[in-house]
Amino acid sequence: MLTDGHIDRSIGALRRISMLLAGLFCTATLAGLSTTGDKPRGKMLAAARHSSYNDPALVQYGKELVTHTATYLGPRGKVARLSNGMNCQNCHLDAGTKFWGNNYRAVAATYPKFRERSGSVENVVKRVNDCIERSLNGKALDSNSREMKAFVAYIISVGQDVPKGDLPKGTGIWPLPYLDRAASPALGKRLYKQKCVTCHGATGQGVVAPDGTEYTYPPLWGSKSYNQGAGLFRISRLAGYIKTNMPLGASWETPLLSNDEAWDIAAYIESMPRPTKDLRHDWPNLAGKPIDHPFGPYTDPFPEEQHKYGPFAPIKKWQDQHKASR
């Protein structure tokens, strides 16, 4: 017998499928991707990228915006004043190209796509504005502006050789294995003083560049840092990012911190104050909320504190056991 719960879940699944299909055809233009034609998808996609964004000047401007976002869009921006003074490159290292440095390699191949956070199909324009509103604690950029077109053109160019649907190794952030304990802000504070203060300051304020328009080393908390809606406010994301990129000089091949140290430093940073954001409309499907999202409600019985710092294994075990009923 079909219960109301079965019907609700079926309707929800059909809704997500219909949105995904609509997005593939209706939002592809904004993302600079084509979904029609008789060519094999990989070749067709490459041709679409070049036909839509084959403008070297626009791509170069996009790279400049990623590298020096605040110069153009920060508190003293030349084009607009809509962000907190951080640059996209502060989170997407080497202009979004570094291996496991939160790079853009998979964007062209995977967008448009359905994202659980919004409960909708998103294109690259939406994703860029999400970063501006969350990681840069700013206001959305006009989707028709030259700056938005340049952002999209550059980001797509980074992954223009990636076949549709592929996820290249080293893209995004390294998924650091969970600890068997909660990450410790107290331990992280001591480690921060030893390993992070030189660049990010004792109060997490970062280092402002000599011209005063942007940060050489970004603030990690406080009013000028990313807000609570940013992806890096999830501790697993920040810990993975720290592990393969911090302190300065670290990489995937030559990490400078242990896994435990990366988790504990992340816990300390996430425990500090930062701008808030209205998240009431995020994660409309609670079953799709990440295990380390620090704000409830949840489908499981574990408290916010555990979702923020861990241990995560008991939460994952509970969720796996109850997947059939969700």
Side-chain angles (χ1 to χ4, degrees):
M1 179 181 295
L2 287 176
T3 66
D4 289 343
H6 284 98
I7 293 171
D8 288 343
R9 285 194 293 275
S10 298
I11 291 173
L14 289 171
R15 184 180 295 118
R16 287 193 292 273
I17 291 169
S18 65
M19 286 192 296
L20 178 58
L21 292 173
L24 289 173
F25 289 96
C26 298
T27 66
T29 300
L30 284 174
L33 308 178
S34 172
T35 57
T36 61
D38 298 322
K39 297 180 181 180
R41 184 170 293 272
K43 294 180 181 178
M44 174 271 297
L45 201 66
R49 292 180 194 130
H50 286 290
S51 63
S52 299
Y53 287 101
N54 190 17
D55 181 347
L58 194 65
V59 171
Q60 184 58 41
Y61 184 39
K63 183 177 182 179
E64 175 73 5
L65 288 170
V66 168
T67 307
H68 300 290
T69 319
T71 298
Y72 298 90
L73 304 173
R76 298 168 60 183
K78 296 189 293 188
V79 174
R81 299 182 177 184
L82 50 77
S83 69
N84 61 4
M86 291 174 62
N87 298 320
C88 298
Q89 182 171 253
N90 292 143
C91 297
H92 302 278
L93 298 178
D94 296 344
T97 64
K98 186 181 178 183
F99 191 82
W100 289 126
N102 204 12
N103 67 59
Y104 301 135
R105 286 278 292 151
V107 174
T110 57
Y111 278 79
K113 70 177 181 181
F114 180 84
R115 299 189 74 227
E116 287 283 1
R117 185 166 72 183
S118 65
S120 65
V121 174
E122 297 184 7
N123 55 37
V124 182
V125 171
K126 163 66 174 167
R127 193 69 186 88
V128 169
N129 268 334
D130 256 9
C131 281
I132 292 174
E133 293 181 278
R134 295 167 186 263
S135 297
L136 301 185
N137 195 37
K139 298 177 182 177
L141 187 63
D142 183 349
S143 62
N144 293 312
S145 66
R146 181 169 179 260
E147 286 65 39
M148 179 58 81
K149 291 176 182 177
F151 271 126
V152 173
Y154 173 68
I155 290 169
I156 287 176
S157 77
V158 172
Q160 64 182 336
D161 60 333
V162 180
K164 178 66 176 177
D166 278 13
L167 192 65
K169 182 180 179 181
T171 195
I173 294 175
W174 167 244
L176 196 63
Y178 293 144
L179 298 179
D180 58 5
R181 60 172 175 85
S184 169
L187 292 175
K189 181 177 182 179
R190 291 199 289 272
L191 289 164
Y192 180 89
K193 289 179 179 179
Q194 297 169 14
K195 301 178 182 290
C196 311
V197 165
T198 301
C199 293
H200 297 286
T203 61
Q205 77 275 13
V207 175
V208 178
D211 66 2
T213 62
E214 58 185 68
Y215 285 94
T216 303
Y217 303 109
L220 300 182
W221 63 84
S223 62
K224 300 298 183 181
S225 189
Y226 57 87
N227 66 41
Q228 292 178 344
L232 285 182
F233 193 57
R234 285 174 48 202
I235 191 172
S236 70
R237 304 290 288 165
L238 183 59
Y241 182 83
I242 290 171
K243 171 67 178 182
T244 59
N245 298 290
M246 300 294 152
L248 188 64
S251 67
W252 161 252
E253 296 84 3
T254 57
L256 300 177
L257 297 171
S258 69
N259 289 2
D260 283 43
E261 288 173 329
W263 278 105
D264 290 336
I265 291 172
Y268 173 59
I269 293 169
E270 305 292 44
S271 74
M272 302 303 284
R274 67 184 59 257
T276 59
K277 181 174 175 58
D278 183 358
L279 306 177
R280 288 175 297 173
H281 301 297
D282 284 5
W283 313 106
N285 173 30
L286 293 183
K289 185 178 285 191
I291 199 169
D292 61 337
H293 191 274
F295 304 114
Y298 307 107
T299 58
D300 59 66
F302 297 90
E304 285 187 346
E305 180 84 359
Q306 188 165 347
H307 276 279
K308 183 169 184 177
Y309 298 115
F312 297 112
I315 305 176
K316 186 176 188 308
K317 181 179 179 180
W318 188 98
Q319 291 184 351
D320 289 345
Q321 291 173 341
H322 292 78
K323 274 183 180 177
S325 62
R326 286 192 287 169

